[in-house]
């Protein structure tokens, strides 16, 4: 069939079909609605709008295309409801303007009318949001014009419009992020597509059912479910916990007792939950509902017949399971067990970072006055997730705990008895993942032997150790565990300690600055070392450790 | 000036500028709006179309006791159903403020300051 000229009568029929098709799909369009406000009324609004237009057209007897289009546009304008309704009215306002004064139109004029609609619709918006009904109208109008260049057949043009509208609709989630997030296409665009499909059906002489839903129960259910996802973001928010689906096969004797009335049935069920769908024919009624007490729903429905194809799912459980499995896949990526892991103990965030940058897998918080427990160490060994785990305790008080942890842990654990932070670092620097565990142990122990440790801290009481008189709040310089100097001035103590530690073979001095030492203090100390020991290089790191103003390693 | 919201953990203060920016941004997403207008039409003479940075001139946020009211001065496109466009703006603004700020608005009053025939 070929149609080269469109008259008013045909346009009226197209409008009626378009409106009818939209009416049939109202629930589906509603269910898609997430933008601009996810209130699920796009379909309803568009339907009220187009129904108003349809009524005006039905009252008219004109066979003049321009007149019919004008009447339709006016009806739409008067009945415009919601954003999409207003847009729909604008699209057809532009459409009718393009047809003004024309008794009949050919394919080119018909296509130009779609384009006119888009131009008008875009004019009425400050910031067009793409990925909406506007985009669908624009894309399909463009194709309409292109198609009309090649053919005089209005049906072919309309076919191209429907095809492109569908393709454009499928693209809307890429243009509007909120649609992608929820996984739906634009509701207004879907509404427009159904109108266009109605137009095409009439042009092709196809029939459209009036009143019945053209969509399958499955499509409706999935649309309803997506709505639930929208509104039930957290498990506690699920008001009706059971997704209940069933069919009732009518039985005559039961119907005699309680006759089936679809509207009454629907209203009664709606008191039991939400996301309700009821589709009925003479033999069967299909029901989908989210109810808190599915039993009550079933009992009520059973009055009309026998229950078949029942399915009840606990949505709270499902939701929790989904959340948990999400969490699991995020947290527990199947991690390959590494060959080596290094667990160390440190005080101060700066030192922890230093250790991590040197290759430690786990840094346990602890040190002087704050020793980690065996359990802490075992836990970290587990976290390191390796065949062989080295432990660097960095404190003589923790070495025992580390050895205990080594016995309990599942992995092979080697404790390198480092007693100070510099020893730990030296050991870590000697570690070479390419070597065997035994070789590593040996070279790490060597590493410890090659480093001298100095620490500056303060005395908490008067005492005398190793022949050094110490007063409360004095600063003590400790060289490899032995107090060598005590001074009321921190800088003096540090200087004397360094002089004590450094001999002519040493090349590198690393100063780890603690919480109690200011940058100025450190600068002064560095200058002192550089002046006094010309051959030595000085490095400074911020260790942020408490108690020890300085931790110094000398190699 | 700012709107204060009390939560379990403490207070949240949101300046009216933020609210009017969000309200204005939400409004121009709506179909049929072609601009925001200054509410001081007499002073400005013409209803100047306000650019994004000037939303606050076209959006007035008022707090009366516990209630928040918003007045919006807009310009709509000729040929649209103006009452419906205004209604859409009310819906969208209320929804967006609730979604972004958790702010429940008691009223969104729309003042149509003008109708334009074409896009500026």
């Amino acid at each position: 069939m070929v149609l080269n000229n469109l008259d008013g009568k045909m346009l009226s029929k197209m409008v009626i079909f378009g409106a009818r098709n939209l009416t049939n799909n109202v629930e589906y369009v509603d269910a898609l609605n997430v933008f601009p406000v996810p209130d699920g009324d796009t379909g309803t609004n568009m339907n009220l709008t187009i129904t108003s237009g349809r009524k005006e057209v039905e009252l008219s007897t004109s066979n003049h295309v321009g007149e019919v289009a004008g009447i339709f546009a006016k009806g739409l304008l008067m009945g415009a409801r919601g954003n999409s309704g207003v847009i729909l009215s604008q699209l057809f306002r532009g459409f009718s303007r393009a047809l003004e004064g024309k008794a009949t139109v050919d394919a080119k004029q018909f296509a130009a009318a779609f384009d006119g609609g888009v131009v008008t619709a875009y004019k009425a918006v400050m910031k067009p949001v793409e990925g909406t009904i506007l985009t669908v109208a624009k894309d399909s109008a463009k194709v309409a014009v292109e198609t009309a260049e090649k053919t005089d057949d209005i049906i072919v043009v309309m076919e191209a419009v429907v095809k492109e509208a569908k393709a454009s609709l499928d693209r809307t989630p890429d243009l509007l992020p909120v649609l992608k997030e929820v996984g739906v296409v634009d509701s207004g665009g879907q509404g427009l597509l159904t109108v266009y499909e109605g137009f095409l059906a009439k042009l092709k002489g196809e029939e459209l059912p009036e009143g019945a839903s053209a969509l399958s129960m499955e499509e409706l259910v999935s649309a309803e479910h997506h709505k639930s996802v929208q509104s039930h973001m957290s498990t506690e928010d699920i008001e009706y916990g059971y997704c209940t689906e069933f069919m009732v096969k009518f039985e005559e004797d039961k119907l005699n007792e309680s006759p089936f009335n679809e509207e009454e049935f629907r209203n009664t069920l709606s008191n039991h939950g939400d996301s309700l769908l009821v589709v009925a024919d003479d033999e069967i009624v299909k029901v989908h509902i989210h109810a808190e007490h599915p039993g009550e729903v079933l009992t009520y429905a059973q009055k009309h017949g026998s229950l078949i194809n029942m399915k009840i799912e606990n949505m709270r459980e499902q939701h929790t399971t989904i959340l948990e499995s999400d969490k699991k896949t995020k947290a527990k990526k199947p991690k390959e067990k590494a060959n080596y892991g290094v667990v160390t103990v440190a005080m101060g965030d700066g030192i922890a970072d230093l250790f991590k940058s040197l290759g430690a897998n786990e840094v346990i918080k602890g040190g002087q006055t704050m020793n980690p427990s065996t359990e802490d160490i075992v836990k970290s060994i587990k976290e390191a997730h390796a065949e062989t785990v080295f432990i660097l305790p960095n404190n003589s008080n923790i070495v025992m705990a580390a050895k205990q942890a080594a016995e309990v842990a599942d992995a092979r654990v080697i404790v390198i008895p480092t007693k100070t932070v510099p020893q730990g670092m030296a050991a870590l620097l000697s570690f070479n993942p390419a070597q065997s565990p035994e070789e590593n142990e040996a070279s790490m122990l060597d590493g410890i032997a090659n480093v001298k440790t100095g620490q500056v801290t303060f005395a908490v009481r008067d005492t005398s150790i190793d022949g050094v008189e110490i007063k409360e709040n004095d600063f003590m310089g400790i060289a490899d565990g032995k107090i060598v100097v005590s001074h009321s001035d921190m800088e003096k103590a540090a200087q004397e300690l360094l002089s004590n530690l450094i001999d002519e073979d040493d090349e590198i001095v690393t100063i780890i600055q603690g919480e109690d030492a200011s940058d100025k203090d450190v600068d002064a100390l560095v200058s002192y070392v550089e002046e006094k020991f010309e051959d030595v290089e000085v490095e400074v790191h911020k260790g942020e450790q408490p108690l020890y103003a300085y931790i110094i390693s000398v190699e | 000036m700012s709107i204060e919201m009390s939560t379990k953990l403490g207070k949240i203060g949101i300046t009216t500028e933020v609210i009017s920016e969000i309200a204005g941004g939400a409004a121009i997403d709506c179909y049929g709006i072609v601009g925001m207008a200054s509410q001081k039409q007499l002073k400005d003479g013409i209803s100047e179309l306000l650019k994004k940075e000037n939303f606050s001139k076209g959006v007035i946020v008022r707090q009366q006791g516990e209630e928040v009211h918003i007045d919006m001065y807009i310009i709509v496109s000729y040929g649209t159903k103006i009452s419906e466009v205004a209604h859409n703006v009310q819906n969208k603004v209320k929804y967006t403020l609730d979604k972004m700020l958790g702010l429940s608005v008691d009223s969104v009053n729309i003042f149509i300051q003008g109708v334009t025939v074409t896009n500026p």
Side-chain angles (χ1 to χ4, degrees):
Chain A
M1 203 176 79
V2 177
L3 184 73
N4 291 332
N5 277 297
L6 184 71
D7 59 17
K9 283 264 177 308
M10 191 58 172
L11 183 61
S12 310
K13 288 177 194 159
M14 282 165 66
V15 164
I16 292 165
F17 262 56
R20 192 187 290 175
N21 198 33
L22 180 56
T23 309
N24 290 348
N25 289 288
V26 163
E27 288 180 16
Y28 183 59
V29 176
D30 274 346
L32 294 175
N33 179 203
V34 290
F35 183 86
V37 178
D39 46 8
D41 64 357
T42 295
T44 310
N45 286 338
M46 287 182 84
N47 188 39
L48 285 167
T49 308
I50 202 165
T51 305
S52 158
R54 169 190 172 170
K55 274 189 190 140
E56 294 293 318
V57 169
E58 277 172 339
L59 290 174
S60 131
T61 50
S62 172
N63 193 24
H64 187 284
V65 159
E67 280 176 12
V68 172
I71 290 165
F72 181 48
K74 192 174 161 233
L76 287 175
L77 179 63
M78 291 194 307
R81 276 276 301 267
N83 237 318
S84 43
V86 175
I87 299 178
L88 194 67
S89 74
Q90 288 300 293
L91 283 170
F92 283 100
R93 184 165 148 260
F95 184 88
S96 76
R97 265 221 208 121
L99 300 181
E100 225 164 33
K102 296 188 175 75
T104 62
V105 290
D106 61 17
K108 275 194 187 59
Q109 290 167 322
F110 181 65
F114 281 104
D115 202 41
V118 170
V119 171
T120 303
Y122 267 84
K123 267 186 193 156
V125 60
M126 190 182 192
K127 198 186 87 185
V129 183
E130 295 298 343
T132 62
I133 180 172
L134 282 172
T135 312
V136 173
K138 182 180 71 181
D139 291 350
S140 49
K142 190 165 164 264
V143 169
V145 174
E146 286 167 10
T147 311
E149 293 288 323
K150 291 175 246 160
T151 176
D152 291 330
D153 187 354
I154 288 173
I155 298 175
V156 175
V157 173
M158 197 64 226
E159 267 174 347
V161 167
V162 169
K163 197 176 158 215
E164 178 58 26
K166 210 169 168 44
S168 176
L169 182 65
D170 287 338
R171 291 192 296 266
T172 54
D174 295 327
L175 293 169
L176 197 56
V178 63
L179 299 177
K180 189 154 216 162
E181 215 175 282
V182 183
V184 293
V185 293
D186 180 62
S187 54
Q190 176 71 53
L192 184 64
L193 173 65
T194 57
V195 172
Y196 286 172
E197 280 172 346
F199 285 3
L200 181 62
K202 184 69 232 177
L203 283 172
K204 288 172 112 176
E206 288 165 5
E207 265 313 309
L208 265 187
E210 171 113 48
S213 175
L215 281 160
S216 73
M217 186 81 179
E218 283 69 38
E219 276 174 295
L220 288 172
V221 167
S222 82
E224 283 292 330
H225 277 186
H226 131 253
K227 259 206 302 208
S228 310
V229 171
Q230 275 289 84
S231 51
H232 301 317
M233 280 319 192
S234 84
T235 309
E236 301 78 60
D237 288 349
I238 298 178
E239 193 186 344
Y240 298 107
Y242 300 91
C243 171
T244 311
E245 275 181 65
F246 60 90
M247 295 181 202
V248 181
K249 200 170 161 190
F250 294 135
E251 283 167 1
E252 219 164 293
D253 48 337
K254 286 195 178 175
L255 282 185
N256 288 339
E257 230 167 86
S258 51
F260 180 77
N261 174 319
E262 189 174 335
E263 197 168 326
E264 194 190 310
F265 185 76
R266 192 190 303 265
N267 287 341
T268 307
L269 286 190
S270 69
N271 298 328
H272 290 273
D274 61 8
S275 301
L276 174 66
L277 294 170
V278 174
V279 177
D281 61 17
D282 294 342
E283 290 163 14
I284 241 170
V285 56
K286 291 186 190 181
V287 178
H288 167 266
I289 185 172
H290 294 172
E292 189 51 29
H293 302 288
E296 290 173 13
V297 175
L298 293 176
T299 309
Y300 170 73
Q302 217 172 355
K303 284 202 299 190
H304 302 296
S306 59
L307 301 171
I308 52 175
N309 293 350
M310 278 163 285
K311 191 199 83 184
I312 300 174
E313 278 166 358
N314 184 331
M315 295 191 293
R316 289 192 190 92
E317 279 294 313
Q318 283 177 335
H319 193 260
T320 316
T321 317
I322 291 168
L323 286 187
E324 271 170 10
S325 74
D326 274 5
K327 240 188 256 163
K328 267 182 203 153
T329 45
K330 262 179 214 152
K332 279 205 173 175
K333 277 185 198 150
K335 201 165 75 175
E336 281 282 310
K337 216 170 189 183
N339 281 337
Y340 288 118
V342 177
V343 173
T344 187
V345 186
M347 238 180 182
D349 292 341
I351 296 184
D353 288 345
L354 270 177
F355 270 116
K356 279 192 179 142
S357 72
L358 291 174
N361 302 77
E362 298 292 325
V363 181
I364 307 170
K365 267 204 145 171
Q368 199 68 34
T369 74
M370 197 175 89
N371 296 336
S373 67
T374 306
E375 199 190 333
D376 292 338
I377 301 173
V378 171
K379 218 175 109 202
S380 294
I381 293 171
K382 208 175 242 165
E383 292 285 323
H385 197 64
E387 303 280 348
T388 307
V389 178
F390 291 100
I391 304 183
L392 310 172
N394 302 339
N395 191 308
S396 50
N397 296 336
I398 305 172
V399 175
M400 275 311 285
K403 283 189 173 153
Q404 274 176 10
E407 282 169 30
V408 199
D410 289 336
R412 174 174 180 196
V413 180
I414 300 172
V415 180
I416 308 290
T418 55
K419 289 174 184 156
T420 64
V421 168
Q423 284 185 357
M425 291 188 173
L428 198 48
L429 283 170
S430 315
F431 171 73
N432 178 356
Q435 285 181 325
S436 72
E438 293 76 20
E439 285 169 327
N440 266 318
E441 187 177 359
S443 57
M444 284 163 99
L445 288 172
D446 268 356
I448 296 178
N450 288 334
V451 68
K452 285 181 278 190
T453 304
Q455 287 162 314
V456 176
T457 184
F458 55 90
V460 288
R461 61 184 166 91
D462 294 357
T463 185
S464 165
I465 298 175
D466 299 329
V468 182
E469 277 293 320
I470 301 162
K471 288 201 181 65
E472 191 180 334
N473 290 332
D474 266 5
F475 289 90
M476 301 179 288
I478 307 166
D480 280 326
K482 204 172 156 213
I483 298 170
V484 292
V485 52
S486 173
H487 209 288
S488 58
D489 181 65
M490 190 171 77
E491 286 313 302
K492 282 270 160 17
Q495 288 172 6
E496 277 184 41
L497 171 67
L498 279 165
S499 308
N500 211 299
L501 280 170
I502 301 172
D503 62 37
E504 52 199 30
D505 294 334
D506 293 322
E507 290 162 359
I508 304 171
V509 171
T510 310
I511 299 172
I512 300 172
Q513 180 186 355
E515 279 177 350
D516 300 336
S518 69
D519 288 351
K520 225 173 95 192
D521 296 336
V522 176
D523 287 346
L525 191 62
V526 170
S527 314
Y528 170 81
V529 176
E530 280 172 345
E531 247 168 63
K532 201 164 177 214
F533 309 96
E534 281 174 18
D535 301 335
V536 167
E537 263 183 58
V538 187
E539 243 184 75
V540 179
H541 294 288
K542 279 203 190 322
E544 290 156 42
Q545 73 273 21
L547 305 177
Y548 294 91
Y550 299 112
I551 297 175
I552 300 161
S553 81
V554 178
E555 297 153 78
Chain B
M1 198 187 108
S2 68
I3 303 273
E4 290 226 327
M5 295 192 284
S6 296
T7 74
K8 261 186 260 166
L9 296 172
K11 280 185 178 168
I12 300 172
I14 300 169
T15 63
T16 49
E17 280 75 29
V18 170
I19 296 169
S20 52
E21 293 258 336
I22 293 173
I28 61 157
D29 263 0
C30 280
Y31 187 83
I33 273 214
V34 289
M36 307 290 300
S38 165
Q39 82 279 16
K40 292 177 199 141
Q41 269 200 313
L42 286 174
K43 196 178 145 222
D44 294 345
I46 48 157
S47 64
E48 52 170 325
L49 288 175
L50 296 174
K51 297 240 164 53
K52 208 166 191 169
E53 55 271 22
N54 288 328
F55 279 164
S56 43
K57 276 193 190 166
V59 185
I60 311 298
V61 181
R62 292 179 288 126
Q63 192 172 19
Q64 293 173 342
E66 291 291 291
E67 295 183 339
V68 178
H69 302 276
I70 294 182
D71 299 334
M72 307 194 74
Y73 296 81
I74 65 172
I75 297 179
V76 294
S77 167
Y78 176 81
T80 56
K81 189 172 181 182
I82 292 175
S83 61
E84 201 53 36
V85 169
H87 186 230
N88 291 340
V89 171
Q90 290 173 323
N91 262 339
K92 173 82 182 174
V93 167
K94 189 174 191 314
Y95 168 75
T96 308
L97 287 174
D98 185 47
K99 190 178 147 209
M100 290 180 73
L101 302 176
L103 182 71
S104 168
V105 184
D106 294 282
S107 68
V108 179
N109 305 307
I110 309 284
F111 299 87
I112 316 287
Q113 294 288 81
V115 177
T116 49
V117 178
T118 50
N119 232 0

